[in-house]
Amino acid sequence: TQLLEQSPQFLSIQEGENLTVYCNSSSVFSSLQWYRQEPGEGPVLLVTVVTGGEVKKLKRLTFQFGDARKDSSLHITAAQPGDTGLYLCASLSSGTYKYIFGTGTRLKVLA
Amino acid sequence: EPEVTQTPSHQVTQMGQEVILRCVPISNHLYFYWYRQILGQKVEFLVSFYNNEISEKSEIFDDQFSVERPDGSNFTLKIRSTKLEDSAMYFCASNRGTISRRETQYFGPGTRLLVL
């Protein structure tokens, strides 16, 4: 069974700082999604990466997919309080449409 | 923009009671899912549903759980005899079901179930 490990588990930073969170697997991803989830709400898709080495930018968020497609990172530049939330990576389990979610990184950005 | 909707947003029930959680997936989607998230834990897959039958289920999805698509729009999750450990946020999701690796699942806002 594919497992997705995210690090760090918790992160508390000051507004304006940069941060990177990671998602790793022992298996190759077919594709990888990053979601943000706010308390009491469902996960909201941020990005999908498919190709090894792919880099995608979404405003201050930069997503990178590892060359071997076994890891991914999310970098936030100049974090703002509105970035506070739970960041989840997820991948389709091989040969299925079932999503496997990572353990999550809970980010708190202090004003 | 089309979205997945879920009702109710919150449900409180007594242990042993039956609950039905309802979802309306996006209208042209063909695959439907239920996930759950126990407070402070990760999102866990429960079941996927395609062409009016279960296509995959996890070990969590035991005989107490069932899913149904009673009409062309609703997708329901029934828990026959709730247990305390069923307390969680339950998310419905849907996707079109293409073979593309860029396939995106869209999640509903969730139903928070509390079993007392």
Side-chain angles (χ1 to χ4, degrees), chain B residues 26-41:
Chain B
I26 294 173
S27 62
N28 64 346
H29 285 187
L30 302 177
Y31 284 81
F32 315 115
Y33 309 82
W34 284 100
Y35 293 82
R36 80 169 184 194
Q37 186 177 33
I38 295 171
L39 188 65
Q41 298 185 24

Side-chain angles (χ1 to χ4, degrees), chain A residues 1 9 14 17 19 24 29 35 44 48 57 70 75 78 80 83 85 88 91 93 95 98-99 101 106:
Chain A
T1 303
Q9 209 174 347
Q14 293 293 325
E17 291 184 3
L19 67 115
N24 294 283
F29 300 121
Y35 289 84
V44 175
T48 298
K57 288 183 184 292
K70 294 175 71 174
H75 182 79
Q80 297 175 2
D83 296 327
L88 298 163
S91 177
S93 182
K98 173 176 75 173
Y99 267 37
F101 278 83
R106 195 168 294 280

Side-chain angles (χ1 to χ4, degrees), chain A residues 40-109:
Chain A
E41 297 185 13
V44 175
L45 182 70
L46 296 173
V47 78
T48 298
V49 287
V50 178
T51 306
E54 185 174 1
V55 176
K56 282 193 171 178
K57 288 183 184 292
L58 186 68
K59 298 182 182 177
R60 292 176 294 100
L61 277 59
T62 302
F63 303 86
Q64 185 153 8
F65 203 14
D67 291 339
R69 304 203 335 259
K70 294 175 71 174
D71 58 270
S72 182
S73 63
L74 158 59
H75 182 79
I76 303 179
T77 304
Q80 297 175 2
D83 296 327
T84 293
L86 179 66
Y87 289 82
L88 298 163
C89 62
S91 177
L92 286 173
S93 182
S94 180
T96 76
Y97 281 110
K98 173 176 75 173
Y99 267 37
I100 305 296
F101 278 83
T103 46
T105 293
R106 195 168 294 280
L107 172 65
K108 189 175 178 72
V109 182

Side-chain angles (χ1 to χ4, degrees), chain B residues 48-104:
Chain B
S48 59
F49 191 85
Y50 170 71
N51 199 26
N52 283 319
E53 61 183 25
I54 291 173
S55 50
E56 199 164 359
K57 60 183 180 179
S58 72
E59 55 276 7
I60 302 168
F61 194 88
D62 61 22
D63 292 343
Q64 294 298 313
F65 292 88
S66 61
V67 289
E68 199 176 35
R69 189 152 161 84
D71 53 43
S73 60
N74 287 285
F75 179 51
T76 62
L77 173 69
K78 183 192 291 186
I79 310 174
R80 286 190 187 81
S81 178
T82 49
K83 303 186 284 286
L84 296 176
E85 54 265 38
D86 294 327
S87 295
M89 195 78 158
Y90 287 82
F91 295 105
C92 173
S94 69
N95 62 259
R96 285 184 301 159
T98 68
I99 60 172
S100 168
R101 289 187 296 159
R102 294 181 186 274
E103 182 71 42
T104 295

